[in-house]
């Protein structure tokens, strides 16, 4: 190396360490801009998620609180016995409530200003059936005298318009144009609330009651939809998990690599991208039209969701099996283990976290599906709870996403509030399933 070359290299090194040339400055600026773009994208995503959650919570949290009408009802033993024997109409039981309403108004100190019939207009439409169901199930041993009274305090649901008034959906101005409520009734509701007869409190019935008609939004609940979703998830878990895992093990560990297996793998990947409504059409054609299974039954919904979930489970299971290092297989085979022993004693336990995670994510995806369930008739109006399995799998039922769809199609604003509340319940279930998947992965994951 000459002195000129050494001097040139020394000057070049000096410039590269202390002075950034134009090309380097542009590269650093581009990297900084990309970092800012990434941070901005994350910020926008988080902002949209917060807006979505705030919107759902602000509209749906009111569904978990309901305006209750507290009344002390006294029925004679003769009335209770008559209820058990003849199942009187609910209008008769509303008459019993009206007989006890005067005492509540007197205790509130407004009996002189208010007619009992006016106060009865504030009650929800299911008050009579609530009292009748209690009277039918009331059995006293030994049987008291017919004239002896049985007293109990009931929390009846207030009318949907009155509930909407206390939640801000109904105002005095809107009541003047509403045929179902008057400003006088809203003023009476204010007086009863001040007296402690009416109050807004947590409503567990939203999670336990069945659906109600369009004229009784205050009585609509998620009970049947929750049971129907649980039944379908049970079917999907019992069918999709063993079938998907067994198919994945065979394709990944035992199947020969030829055109047939390549065709199967391509079709599995394509099925994972098929729109869910296509599986609904398939279920309608095969399970209902061909096999004759009942409409709106959890067994049909579970079978359709199983077909839809299988590709997801197979793909995630194969990915988990591939993540196990080949050295594990080679070591097991080297000490004399058969291929079956290698897979089930070594590979499968190490891949279990990924398999469980994929299964739970597939179940969460199936839990939120609506389109295939609409095609098999689960949009039907169902008020009766399905029986316990296995008979209950063939009884009519609904599902959480279908119930949300149903309520959004109804005109009363109270159903929109209940639809948002159902979305909150569905999100809670999905969050629990995803958190469970993360915990299982961290609990059983092994690092090499």
């Amino acid at each position: 190396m000459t002195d000129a070359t050494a001097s040139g290299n020394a000057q070049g090194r000096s410039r590269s360490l202390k002075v950034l040339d134009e090309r380097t400055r542009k590269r650093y600026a581009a990297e900084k801009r990309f970092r800012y773009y990434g941070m901005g994208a994350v910020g926008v995503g988080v902002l949209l998620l917060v807006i979505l959650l705030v919107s759902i919570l602000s509209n749906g949290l009111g569904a978990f609180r309901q305006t209750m009408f507290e009344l002390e009802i006294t029925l004679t033993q003769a009335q209770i016995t008559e209820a058990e024997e003849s199942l009187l109409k609910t209008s008769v039981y509303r008459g019993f409530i009206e007989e006890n309403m005067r005492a509540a108004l007197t205790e509130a100190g407004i009996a002189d200003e208010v007619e009992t019939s006016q106060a009865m207009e504030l009650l929800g439409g299911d008050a009579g059936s609530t009292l009748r169901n209690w009277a039918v199930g009331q059995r006293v041993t030994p049987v008291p005298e017919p004239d002896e009274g049985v007293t109990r305090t009931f929390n009846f649901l207030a009318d949907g318009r009155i509930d909407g008034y206390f939640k801000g959906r109904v105002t005095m101005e809107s009541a003047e144009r509403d045929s179902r409520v008057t400003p006088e009734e809203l003023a009476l509701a204010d007086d009863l609330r001040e007296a402690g007869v009416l109050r807004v409190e947590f409503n567990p019935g939203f999670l336990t009651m069945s659906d109600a008609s369009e004229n009784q939004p205050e009585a609509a609940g998620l009970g049947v939809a929750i049971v129907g979703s649980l039944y379908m998830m049970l079917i999907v878990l019992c069918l999709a998990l063993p079938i998907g895992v067994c198919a994945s093990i065979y394709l990944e560990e035992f199947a020969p690599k030829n055109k047939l297996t390549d065709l199967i793998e391509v079709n599995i990947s394509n099925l994972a991208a098929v729109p869910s409504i296509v599986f609904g059409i398939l279920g309608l054609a095969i399970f209902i039209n061909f096999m004759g299974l009942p409409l709106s039954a959890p067994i049909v919904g579970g079978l359709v969701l199983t077909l839809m979930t299988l590709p997801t489970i197979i793909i995630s299971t194969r990915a988990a099996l591939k993540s196990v290092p080949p050295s594990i297989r080679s070591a097991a085979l080297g000490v004399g283990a058969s291929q079956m022993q290698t897979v089930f004693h070594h590979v499968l336990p190490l891949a279990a976290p990924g398999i469980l995670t994929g299964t739970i994510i597939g179940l969460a995806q199936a839990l939120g599906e609506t389109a295939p369930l609409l095609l098999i008739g689960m949009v039907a109006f169902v008020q009766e709870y399905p029986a316990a399995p296995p008979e209950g799998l063939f009884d009519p039922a609904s599902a959480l996403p279908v119930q949300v769809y149903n309520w959004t199609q109804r005109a009363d604003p109270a159903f929109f509030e209940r639809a948002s509340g159902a979305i909150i319940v569905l999100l809670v279930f999905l969050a629990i399933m995803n958190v469970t998947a993360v915990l299982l992965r961290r609990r059983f994951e092994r690092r090499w």
Side-chain angles (χ1 to χ4, degrees):
M1 180 184 298
T2 63
D3 293 340
T5 304
S7 176
N9 289 339
Q11 292 177 0
R13 285 196 299 270
S14 177
R15 286 195 302 270
S16 64
L17 290 175
K18 296 183 179 180
V19 180
L20 296 179
D21 57 19
E22 186 65 22
R23 184 176 180 181
T24 304
R25 282 196 296 269
K26 289 182 178 180
R27 187 179 70 219
Y28 286 172
E31 291 177 356
K32 185 179 293 186
R33 285 196 303 271
F34 184 78
R35 248 191 328 268
Y36 290 151
Y37 294 155
M39 294 170 60
V42 172
V44 170
V46 172
L47 177 62
L48 294 177
L49 178 60
V50 170
I51 293 174
L52 175 64
L53 292 178
V54 169
S55 174
I56 293 174
L57 292 176
S58 61
N59 291 322
L61 286 178
F64 296 91
R65 300 173 68 248
Q66 197 73 23
T67 304
M68 299 292 185
F69 210 124
E70 183 177 334
L71 283 178
E72 192 175 76
I73 305 296
T74 300
L75 295 182
T76 64
Q77 187 58 37
Q79 292 172 331
I80 294 176
T81 303
E82 188 178 14
E84 293 178 348
E85 293 177 352
S86 61
L87 292 179
L88 298 176
K89 294 181 179 180
T90 57
S91 59
V92 177
Y93 292 92
R94 286 189 72 90
F96 295 157
I97 296 174
E98 188 170 357
E99 292 174 2
N100 293 266
M101 178 70 75
R102 174 58 55 178
L105 297 178
T106 302
E107 185 178 352
I110 58 175
D112 296 334
E113 296 84 6
V114 179
E115 294 291 336
T116 307
S117 59
Q118 292 177 324
M120 288 295 296
E121 293 295 328
L122 307 185
L123 277 177
D126 70 328
S129 60
T130 301
L131 183 59
R132 184 186 68 177
N133 294 337
W134 173 82
V136 170
Q138 183 72 11
R139 300 182 183 277
V140 180
T141 305
V143 179
E145 294 297 325
D147 294 336
E148 185 174 344
V150 178
T151 303
R152 180 184 172 184
T153 300
F154 288 86
N155 287 324
F156 296 113
L157 295 172
D159 182 77
R161 290 293 194 273
I162 304 301
D163 180 64
Y165 173 61
F166 291 131
K167 294 178 180 177
R169 293 194 307 270
V170 178
T171 62
M172 289 291 183
E173 291 76 15
S174 65
E176 295 176 353
R177 304 184 300 272
D178 197 334
S179 60
R180 290 183 54 186
V181 70
T182 63
E184 291 75 15
E185 291 175 350
L186 298 183
L188 175 58
D190 285 329
D191 295 337
L192 291 175
R193 187 177 187 182
E194 291 178 3
V197 179
L198 277 178
R199 64 179 184 273
V200 181
E201 60 182 26
F202 176 70
N203 179 29
F206 178 65
L207 300 176
T208 58
M209 294 187 300
S210 59
D211 196 8
S213 65
E214 293 190 7
N215 296 325
Q216 298 180 1
E218 69 279 355
L222 290 172
V224 175
I226 292 175
V227 173
S229 292
L230 291 178
Y231 281 3
M232 287 189 293
M233 291 303 101
L234 178 64
I235 295 172
V236 174
L237 182 63
C238 293
L239 294 179
L241 180 60
I243 295 175
V245 172
C246 291
S248 302
I249 292 175
Y250 175 75
L251 290 174
E252 191 63 32
E253 303 291 339
F254 297 99
K257 303 301 179 184
N258 52 34
K259 292 183 178 180
L260 178 60
T261 55
D262 291 341
L263 180 63
I264 293 174
E265 292 176 1
V266 170
N267 285 322
I268 290 174
S269 301
N270 290 335
L271 284 175
V274 170
S276 59
I277 196 170
V278 175
F279 291 97
I281 297 174
L282 180 65
L284 177 65
I286 296 179
F287 300 128
I288 295 178
N289 295 339
F290 179 72
M291 298 178 62
L293 293 177
L295 283 168
S296 189
I299 183 67
V300 180
L303 291 173
V304 171
L305 295 179
T306 297
L307 294 177
M308 193 189 70
T309 309
L310 269 175
T312 302
I313 294 180
I314 291 175
I315 292 173
S316 61
T317 301
R318 293 193 64 188
L321 293 173
K322 288 179 180 179
S323 67
V324 178
S327 57
I328 301 293
R329 299 175 177 84
S330 301
L333 294 173
V335 297
S338 65
Q339 189 172 6
M340 182 75 73
Q341 291 173 326
T342 300
V343 171
F344 286 95
H345 292 178
H346 301 280
V347 177
L348 194 58
L350 295 175
I355 295 173
L356 292 174
T357 301
T359 301
I360 294 175
I361 292 176
L363 290 175
Q365 176 189 1
L367 180 63
E369 285 295 337
T370 307
L373 301 182
L374 295 178
L375 287 178
I376 62 173
M378 296 202 79
V379 71
F381 180 76
V382 181
Q383 279 194 305
E384 298 294 330
Y385 274 86
E391 294 83 1
L393 300 180
F394 296 87
D395 292 340
S398 184
L400 281 173
V402 176
Q403 195 66 70
V404 173
Y405 171 81
N406 258 335
W407 284 344
T408 56
Q409 302 304 303
R410 300 183 185 178
D412 198 308
F415 283 109
F416 180 77
E417 178 188 72
R418 270 168 157 62
S420 299
I423 292 174
I424 293 175
V425 175
L426 183 59
L427 290 177
V428 169
F429 278 116
L430 294 177
I432 291 174
M433 297 176 74
N434 282 279
V435 169
T436 303
V438 173
L439 293 178
L440 288 175
R441 172 175 286 278
R442 292 185 177 180
R443 171 66 178 81
F444 297 105
E445 189 175 23
R446 298 185 183 181
R447 300 183 182 276
W448 298 284

